[in-house]
mmCIF file of all heavy atoms in Angstrom:
data_model
loop_
_atom_site.group_PDB
_atom_site.id
_atom_site.type_symbol
_atom_site.label_atom_id
_atom_site.label_comp_id
_atom_site.label_asym_id
_atom_site.label_seq_id
_atom_site.Cartn_x
_atom_site.Cartn_y
_atom_site.Cartn_z
ATOM 1 N N HIS A 209 12.896 11.480 -21.383
ATOM 2 C CA HIS A 209 13.387 11.734 -22.747
ATOM 3 C C HIS A 209 14.131 13.068 -22.695
ATOM 4 O O HIS A 209 13.534 14.137 -22.776
ATOM 5 C CB HIS A 209 12.205 11.775 -23.708
ATOM 6 C CG HIS A 209 12.585 11.952 -25.139
ATOM 7 N ND1 HIS A 209 13.148 10.949 -25.888
ATOM 8 C CD2 HIS A 209 12.499 13.030 -25.968
ATOM 9 C CE1 HIS A 209 13.370 11.391 -27.132
ATOM 10 N NE2 HIS A 209 12.989 12.654 -27.193
ATOM 11 N N LEU A 210 15.455 12.978 -22.538
ATOM 12 C CA LEU A 210 16.278 14.142 -22.191
ATOM 13 C C LEU A 210 16.795 14.922 -23.382
ATOM 14 O O LEU A 210 17.231 16.071 -23.213
ATOM 15 C CB LEU A 210 17.470 13.688 -21.345
ATOM 16 C CG LEU A 210 17.156 13.158 -19.945
ATOM 17 C CD1 LEU A 210 18.386 12.483 -19.346
ATOM 18 C CD2 LEU A 210 16.683 14.291 -19.040
ATOM 19 N N THR A 211 16.806 14.336 -24.571
ATOM 20 C CA THR A 211 17.406 15.009 -25.724
ATOM 21 C C THR A 211 16.553 14.817 -26.957
ATOM 22 O O THR A 211 15.984 13.751 -27.186
ATOM 23 C CB THR A 211 18.821 14.462 -26.009
ATOM 24 O OG1 THR A 211 18.737 13.118 -26.490
ATOM 25 C CG2 THR A 211 19.680 14.459 -24.752
ATOM 26 N N ASP A 212 16.482 15.872 -27.763
ATOM 27 C CA ASP A 212 15.765 15.785 -29.034
ATOM 28 C C ASP A 212 16.166 16.981 -29.885
ATOM 29 O O ASP A 212 17.015 17.786 -29.492
ATOM 30 C CB ASP A 212 14.248 15.730 -28.820
ATOM 31 C CG ASP A 212 13.559 14.847 -29.854
ATOM 32 O OD1 ASP A 212 13.671 15.156 -31.063
ATOM 33 O OD2 ASP A 212 12.937 13.837 -29.472
ATOM 34 N N ASP A 213 15.540 17.109 -31.041
ATOM 35 C CA ASP A 213 15.884 18.202 -31.943
ATOM 36 C C ASP A 213 15.670 19.569 -31.303
ATOM 37 O O ASP A 213 16.410 20.511 -31.560
ATOM 38 C CB ASP A 213 15.031 18.104 -33.217
ATOM 39 C CG ASP A 213 15.384 16.891 -34.049
ATOM 40 O OD1 ASP A 213 16.594 16.643 -34.243
ATOM 41 O OD2 ASP A 213 14.463 16.182 -34.501
ATOM 42 N N GLN A 214 14.653 19.679 -30.460
ATOM 43 C CA GLN A 214 14.255 20.982 -29.927
ATOM 44 C C GLN A 214 15.024 21.395 -28.673
ATOM 45 O O GLN A 214 14.941 22.553 -28.268
ATOM 46 C CB GLN A 214 12.753 20.971 -29.627
ATOM 47 C CG GLN A 214 11.879 20.742 -30.846
ATOM 48 C CD GLN A 214 11.714 19.281 -31.223
ATOM 49 O OE1 GLN A 214 12.318 18.391 -30.612
ATOM 50 N NE2 GLN A 214 10.896 19.010 -32.227
ATOM 51 N N GLY A 215 15.714 20.453 -28.028
ATOM 52 C CA GLY A 215 16.449 20.850 -26.830
ATOM 53 C C GLY A 215 17.217 19.706 -26.202
ATOM 54 O O GLY A 215 16.820 18.539 -26.287
ATOM 55 N N TRP A 216 18.346 20.058 -25.589
ATOM 56 C CA TRP A 216 19.186 19.110 -24.840
ATOM 57 C C TRP A 216 19.068 19.497 -23.369
ATOM 58 O O TRP A 216 19.370 20.624 -22.993
ATOM 59 C CB TRP A 216 20.639 19.196 -25.307
ATOM 60 C CG TRP A 216 21.541 18.194 -24.666
ATOM 61 C CD1 TRP A 216 22.041 18.241 -23.394
ATOM 62 C CD2 TRP A 216 22.033 16.988 -25.249
ATOM 63 N NE1 TRP A 216 22.818 17.142 -23.138
ATOM 64 C CE2 TRP A 216 22.838 16.352 -24.275
ATOM 65 C CE3 TRP A 216 21.900 16.393 -26.500
ATOM 66 C CZ2 TRP A 216 23.490 15.144 -24.509
ATOM 67 C CZ3 TRP A 216 22.547 15.192 -26.738
ATOM 68 C CH2 TRP A 216 23.333 14.585 -25.750
ATOM 69 N N ARG A 217 18.652 18.559 -22.511
ATOM 70 C CA ARG A 217 18.212 18.945 -21.171
ATOM 71 C C ARG A 217 19.089 18.473 -20.015
ATOM 72 O O ARG A 217 18.710 18.660 -18.860
ATOM 73 C CB ARG A 217 16.786 18.419 -20.933
ATOM 74 C CG ARG A 217 15.784 18.835 -21.987
ATOM 75 C CD ARG A 217 15.691 20.332 -22.162
ATOM 76 N NE ARG A 217 14.697 20.706 -23.164
ATOM 77 C CZ ARG A 217 14.672 21.847 -23.815
ATOM 78 N NH1 ARG A 217 15.613 22.745 -23.580
ATOM 79 N NH2 ARG A 217 13.735 22.099 -24.708
ATOM 80 N N ILE A 218 20.253 17.899 -20.267
ATOM 81 C CA ILE A 218 21.085 17.407 -19.174
ATOM 82 C C ILE A 218 22.509 17.946 -19.352
ATOM 83 O O ILE A 218 23.079 17.878 -20.447
ATOM 84 C CB ILE A 218 21.093 15.856 -19.120
ATOM 85 C CG1 ILE A 218 21.932 15.339 -17.962
ATOM 86 C CG2 ILE A 218 21.542 15.259 -20.439
ATOM 87 C CD1 ILE A 218 21.327 15.588 -16.603
ATOM 88 N N ALA A 219 23.072 18.492 -18.275
ATOM 89 C CA ALA A 219 24.431 19.016 -18.322
ATOM 90 C C ALA A 219 25.439 17.884 -18.482
ATOM 91 O O ALA A 219 25.346 16.858 -17.809
ATOM 92 C CB ALA A 219 24.721 19.812 -17.049
ATOM 93 N N VAL A 220 26.403 18.102 -19.380
ATOM 94 C CA VAL A 220 27.489 17.151 -19.605
ATOM 95 C C VAL A 220 28.789 17.944 -19.519
ATOM 96 O O VAL A 220 29.063 18.794 -20.378
ATOM 97 C CB VAL A 220 27.354 16.454 -20.981
ATOM 98 C CG1 VAL A 220 28.527 15.514 -21.226
ATOM 99 C CG2 VAL A 220 26.025 15.707 -21.079
ATOM 100 N N ASP A 221 29.575 17.682 -18.488
ATOM 101 C CA ASP A 221 30.764 18.500 -18.232
ATOM 102 C C ASP A 221 31.743 18.489 -19.404
ATOM 103 O O ASP A 221 32.350 19.517 -19.726
ATOM 104 C CB ASP A 221 31.480 18.012 -16.976
ATOM 105 C CG ASP A 221 30.676 18.262 -15.710
ATOM 106 O OD1 ASP A 221 29.758 19.117 -15.756
ATOM 107 O OD2 ASP A 221 30.951 17.598 -14.691
ATOM 108 N N SER A 222 31.904 17.343 -20.034
ATOM 109 C CA SER A 222 32.895 17.228 -21.103
ATOM 110 C C SER A 222 32.425 17.861 -22.415
ATOM 111 O O SER A 222 33.249 18.094 -23.314
ATOM 112 C CB SER A 222 33.255 15.756 -21.322
ATOM 113 O OG SER A 222 32.092 14.981 -21.551
ATOM 114 N N TRP A 223 31.161 18.148 -22.518
ATOM 115 C CA TRP A 223 30.594 18.803 -23.698
ATOM 116 C C TRP A 223 29.609 19.879 -23.204
ATOM 117 O O TRP A 223 28.393 19.754 -23.348
ATOM 118 C CB TRP A 223 29.879 17.788 -24.598
ATOM 119 C CG TRP A 223 30.774 16.720 -25.161
ATOM 120 C CD1 TRP A 223 31.297 15.643 -24.505
ATOM 121 C CD2 TRP A 223 31.271 16.644 -26.502
ATOM 122 N NE1 TRP A 223 32.078 14.888 -25.339
ATOM 123 C CE2 TRP A 223 32.084 15.476 -26.590
ATOM 124 C CE3 TRP A 223 31.104 17.420 -27.656
ATOM 125 C CZ2 TRP A 223 32.720 15.089 -27.758
ATOM 126 C CZ3 TRP A 223 31.743 17.028 -28.826
ATOM 127 C CH2 TRP A 223 32.535 15.881 -28.879
ATOM 128 N N PRO A 224 30.105 20.963 -22.632
ATOM 129 C CA PRO A 224 29.237 21.913 -21.917
ATOM 130 C C PRO A 224 28.225 22.648 -22.788
ATOM 131 O O PRO A 224 27.154 23.047 -22.302
ATOM 132 C CB PRO A 224 30.229 22.887 -21.283
ATOM 133 C CG PRO A 224 31.483 22.751 -22.082
ATOM 134 C CD PRO A 224 31.532 21.323 -22.515
ATOM 135 N N ARG A 225 28.543 22.833 -24.088
ATOM 136 C CA ARG A 225 27.609 23.582 -24.928
ATOM 137 C C ARG A 225 26.320 22.804 -25.220
ATOM 138 O O ARG A 225 25.332 23.399 -25.665
ATOM 139 C CB ARG A 225 28.296 23.975 -26.247
ATOM 140 C CG ARG A 225 29.333 25.069 -26.081
ATOM 141 C CD ARG A 225 30.169 25.263 -27.346
ATOM 142 N NE ARG A 225 29.361 25.561 -28.518
ATOM 143 C CZ ARG A 225 28.896 26.770 -28.845
ATOM 144 N NH1 ARG A 225 29.189 27.813 -28.067
ATOM 145 N NH2 ARG A 225 28.178 26.947 -29.937
ATOM 146 N N LEU A 226 26.328 21.499 -24.956
ATOM 147 C CA LEU A 226 25.089 20.743 -25.121
ATOM 148 C C LEU A 226 23.961 21.373 -24.320
ATOM 149 O O LEU A 226 22.842 21.541 -24.814
ATOM 150 C CB LEU A 226 25.291 19.288 -24.693
ATOM 151 C CG LEU A 226 26.162 18.422 -25.595
ATOM 152 C CD1 LEU A 226 26.444 17.082 -24.919
ATOM 153 C CD2 LEU A 226 25.503 18.218 -26.959
ATOM 154 N N ALA A 227 24.241 21.716 -23.074
ATOM 155 C CA ALA A 227 23.218 22.296 -22.204
ATOM 156 C C ALA A 227 23.058 23.792 -22.432
ATOM 157 O O ALA A 227 21.941 24.299 -22.546
ATOM 158 C CB ALA A 227 23.556 22.010 -20.747
ATOM 159 N N THR A 228 24.170 24.510 -22.506
ATOM 160 C CA THR A 228 24.077 25.970 -22.563
ATOM 161 C C THR A 228 23.584 26.477 -23.902
ATOM 162 O O THR A 228 22.879 27.492 -23.974
ATOM 163 C CB THR A 228 25.437 26.609 -22.242
ATOM 164 O OG1 THR A 228 26.420 26.137 -23.179
ATOM 165 C CG2 THR A 228 25.870 26.255 -20.825
ATOM 166 N N VAL A 229 23.932 25.781 -24.977
ATOM 167 C CA VAL A 229 23.472 26.163 -26.318
ATOM 168 C C VAL A 229 22.322 25.256 -26.760
ATOM 169 O O VAL A 229 21.248 25.725 -27.134
ATOM 170 C CB VAL A 229 24.628 26.098 -27.331
ATOM 171 C CG1 VAL A 229 24.109 26.384 -28.747
ATOM 172 C CG2 VAL A 229 25.726 27.076 -26.958
ATOM 173 N N GLY A 230 22.548 23.946 -26.702
ATOM 174 C CA GLY A 230 21.515 23.008 -27.136
ATOM 175 C C GLY A 230 20.272 23.036 -26.276
ATOM 176 O O GLY A 230 19.182 22.672 -26.731
ATOM 177 N N GLY A 231 20.416 23.470 -25.023
ATOM 178 C CA GLY A 231 19.264 23.511 -24.125
ATOM 179 C C GLY A 231 18.491 24.806 -24.137
ATOM 180 O O GLY A 231 17.533 24.966 -23.376
ATOM 181 N N ALA A 232 18.866 25.747 -24.990
ATOM 182 C CA ALA A 232 18.280 27.087 -24.943
ATOM 183 C C ALA A 232 17.046 27.250 -25.818
ATOM 184 O O ALA A 232 16.586 28.377 -26.017
ATOM 185 C CB ALA A 232 19.345 28.116 -25.349
ATOM 186 N N THR A 233 16.517 26.173 -26.351
ATOM 187 C CA THR A 233 15.351 26.247 -27.230
ATOM 188 C C THR A 233 14.323 25.197 -26.838
ATOM 189 O O THR A 233 14.612 24.256 -26.105
ATOM 190 C CB THR A 233 15.767 26.009 -28.697
ATOM 191 O OG1 THR A 233 16.555 24.808 -28.768
ATOM 192 C CG2 THR A 233 16.585 27.171 -29.225
ATOM 193 N N GLU A 234 13.111 25.365 -27.367
ATOM 194 C CA GLU A 234 12.043 24.380 -27.218
ATOM 195 C C GLU A 234 10.980 24.661 -28.261
ATOM 196 O O GLU A 234 11.039 25.686 -28.973
ATOM 197 C CB GLU A 234 11.451 24.406 -25.801
ATOM 198 C CG GLU A 234 10.733 25.684 -25.430
ATOM 199 C CD GLU A 234 10.189 25.661 -24.005
ATOM 200 O OE1 GLU A 234 10.425 24.684 -23.288
ATOM 201 O OE2 GLU A 234 9.526 26.641 -23.618
ATOM 202 N N VAL A 235 10.001 23.772 -28.375
ATOM 203 C CA VAL A 235 8.919 23.968 -29.326
ATOM 204 C C VAL A 235 8.231 25.311 -29.049
ATOM 205 O O VAL A 235 7.995 25.682 -27.905
ATOM 206 C CB VAL A 235 7.896 22.815 -29.229
ATOM 207 C CG1 VAL A 235 6.633 23.144 -30.014
ATOM 208 C CG2 VAL A 235 8.504 21.513 -29.733
ATOM 209 N N GLY A 236 7.922 26.036 -30.141
ATOM 210 C CA GLY A 236 7.221 27.299 -29.984
ATOM 211 C C GLY A 236 8.098 28.472 -29.625
ATOM 212 O O GLY A 236 7.603 29.527 -29.228
ATOM 213 N N ASN A 237 9.429 28.309 -29.728
ATOM 214 C CA ASN A 237 10.374 29.388 -29.432
ATOM 215 C C ASN A 237 10.386 29.817 -27.980
ATOM 216 O O ASN A 237 10.727 30.959 -27.660
ATOM 217 C CB ASN A 237 10.106 30.616 -30.327
ATOM 218 C CG ASN A 237 10.415 30.353 -31.784
ATOM 219 O OD1 ASN A 237 11.413 29.707 -32.096
ATOM 220 N ND2 ASN A 237 9.546 30.825 -32.669
#
Side-chain angles (χ1 to χ4, degrees):
H209 183 74
L210 293 168
T211 69
D212 215 300
D213 292 315
Q214 298 83 356
W216 184 284
R217 306 303 181 202
I218 181 70
V220 177
D221 292 341
S222 54
W223 298 75
R225 288 170 57 83
L226 290 171
T228 59
V229 175
T233 51
E234 65 181 4
V235 169
N237 292 319

